[in-house]
């Protein structure tokens, strides 16, 4: 059996979360949760009060993280989670990023 057949398929989810998700510890709870799940990627606040995140990992774990995004930390009130799947970039670690644009 080829070695590649044994490797789990890595997927990448690009997620936009809207609602009361800034100023409630959403980014830091995301870092904690994603790191505990073994995902790589990043999270940041957007100027329009949404939170943007990218998760890379095996599908089941990424799906679990997206389900968590619908709830978020206790003070958050999530209204919508929009997910797009993209080509994985092979990110390492999980970090909070700044919005620079």
């Amino acid at each position: 059996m080829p070695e590649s057949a044994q490797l789990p398929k890595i997927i990448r989810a690009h997620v936009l979360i809207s609602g009361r998700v800034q100023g409630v510890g959403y980014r830091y709870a995301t870092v904690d949760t994603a790191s505990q799940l073994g995902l790589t990627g990043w999270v940041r606040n957007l100027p329009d009060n949404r939170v943007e995140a990218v998760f890379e990992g095996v599908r089941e774990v990424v799906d679990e993280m997206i389900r968590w995004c619908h709830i978020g930390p206790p003070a958050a009130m999530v209204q919508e989670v929009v997910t797009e799947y993209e080509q994985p970039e092979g990110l390492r670690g999980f970090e909070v990023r700044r919005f620079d644009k």
Side-chain angles (χ1 to χ4, degrees):
M1 203 156 115
E3 212 173 292
S4 62
Q6 299 170 7
L7 294 174
K9 183 164 167 43
I10 300 298
I11 67 163
R12 174 185 174 100
H14 183 195
V15 183
L16 294 167
I17 305 110
S18 52
R20 193 173 85 198
V21 292
Q22 289 193 14
V24 295
Y26 199 102
R27 289 174 301 160
Y28 297 100
T30 300
V31 170
D32 287 348
T33 305
S35 297
Q36 286 170 10
L37 291 173
L39 295 174
T40 59
W42 51 265
V43 61
R44 67 181 175 186
N45 283 344
L46 294 176
D48 62 6
N49 294 320
R50 292 181 301 169
V51 168
E52 177 182 29
V54 165
F55 307 114
E56 289 189 2
V58 295
R59 177 173 294 281
E60 296 76 27
V61 182
V62 171
D63 288 346
E64 184 178 340
M65 188 68 211
I66 294 168
R67 284 193 296 276
W68 179 90
C69 287
H70 285 268
I71 301 157
M77 292 181 69
V78 178
Q79 291 175 337
E80 185 180 31
V81 177
V82 177
T83 305
E84 287 184 8
Y85 293 94
E86 303 170 343
Q87 276 301 112
E89 292 179 8
L91 298 173
R92 297 192 180 279
F94 201 93
E95 64 183 3
V96 172
R97 287 193 178 170
R98 288 192 17 237
F99 185 80
D100 294 324
K101 292 182 181 168

